[in-house]
Amino acid sequence: MNGARRSGSGRIRIIGGSLRNSRLEVPELPGLRPTPERVRETLFNWLAPVLGGARCLDLCAGTGALGIEALSRGAASVQFVERDRQAAQALRANLARLKADGGQVVALEAEAFLHGTAQAYDLVFLDPPFALELWPTLARQLEQGGWLTEWGWIYVESPRSQAPTLPPNWQLQREGHAGEVRFALYRRALPLS
């Protein structure tokens, strides 16, 4: 589940693609922090050349806005992982209501999910709850566990004041700031042997 800034009750809007202007029902849960529209707009402009047909992982999915936006814009599939059962159920309901094919939801802690059998993803959304500071742990599991394709893309959202420690072969491509949030897009390079 994303972040620790505010409660995320109400609705948020998908801003592009086949599901443009669709609304996601968002449960009122402590710490739920949907990625703002302007951040999603910037991110998906960056990703436009690589999104078509991509296999994606929305780790710590929260509302699922990032993964649903990816499906809307041509991603082949998105695996959503969300630890909060109520948020996971809301995400399933939104996917069903929108008839968003290609989305699958798993209600599980991100760390536990990454201990499972790896599938390589083209794009991973890494936006864990800020208060838990899971970036280094999850990034290490993603890198060492075979969860990323050879030149996979990783989106990381973190507090503006804190650039998380990530694997050295994750090369920063683009970054921006919105309020107290830093958002950055990395590309994986093969680690040096």
Side-chain angles (χ1 to χ4, degrees):
M1 175 176 12
N2 296 357
R5 245 187 319 145
R6 63 180 185 271
S7 173
S9 63
R11 301 175 130 209
I12 56 177
R13 180 176 69 98
I14 299 301
I15 53 177
S18 63
L19 299 172
R20 183 180 183 163
N21 291 325
S22 298
R23 301 284 176 170
L24 302 180
E25 299 291 336
V26 179
E28 186 169 339
L29 296 171
L32 193 61
R33 181 190 41 78
T35 300
E37 280 188 23
R38 70 183 181 127
V39 172
R40 282 186 282 129
E41 181 72 36
T42 300
L43 170 63
F44 284 96
N45 286 340
W46 293 346
L47 290 172
V50 300
L51 199 53
R55 289 176 25 94
C56 305
L57 173 62
D58 193 347
L59 202 55
C60 308
T63 65
L66 291 171
I68 293 174
E69 194 80 53
L71 285 171
S72 178
R73 293 172 184 245
S77 63
V78 178
Q79 175 71 64
F80 297 89
V81 179
E82 174 49 49
R83 68 184 178 139
D84 185 277
R85 295 205 178 275
Q86 187 179 349
Q89 185 54 42
L91 180 48
R92 283 187 193 100
N94 280 324
L95 287 168
R97 182 177 48 79
L98 297 173
K99 297 179 176 65
D101 295 333
Q104 182 181 3
V105 181
V106 174
L108 198 61
E109 293 278 351
E111 293 159 292
F113 176 81
L114 294 176
H115 281 308
T117 303
Q119 300 175 44
Y121 292 94
D122 303 303
L123 171 61
V124 174
F125 299 105
L126 182 57
D127 182 13
F130 286 6
L132 299 181
E133 298 185 6
L134 292 172
W135 299 277
T137 301
L138 296 177
R140 185 173 49 254
Q141 285 182 277
L142 287 165
E143 178 60 36
Q144 295 174 357
W147 293 97
L148 296 163
T149 58
E150 186 173 321
W151 297 100
W153 296 87
I154 308 99
Y155 168 74
V156 179
E157 203 167 301
S158 61
R160 184 178 187 140
S161 61
Q162 171 188 350
T165 302
L166 301 171
N169 61 309
W170 289 15
Q171 300 172 349
L172 180 64
Q173 303 295 303
R174 308 286 292 267
E175 71 178 315
H177 300 92
E180 295 303 310
V181 173
R182 173 186 182 264
F183 56 99
L185 184 62
Y186 294 83
R187 187 153 193 209
R188 180 180 187 257
L190 289 179
L192 298 174
S193 303

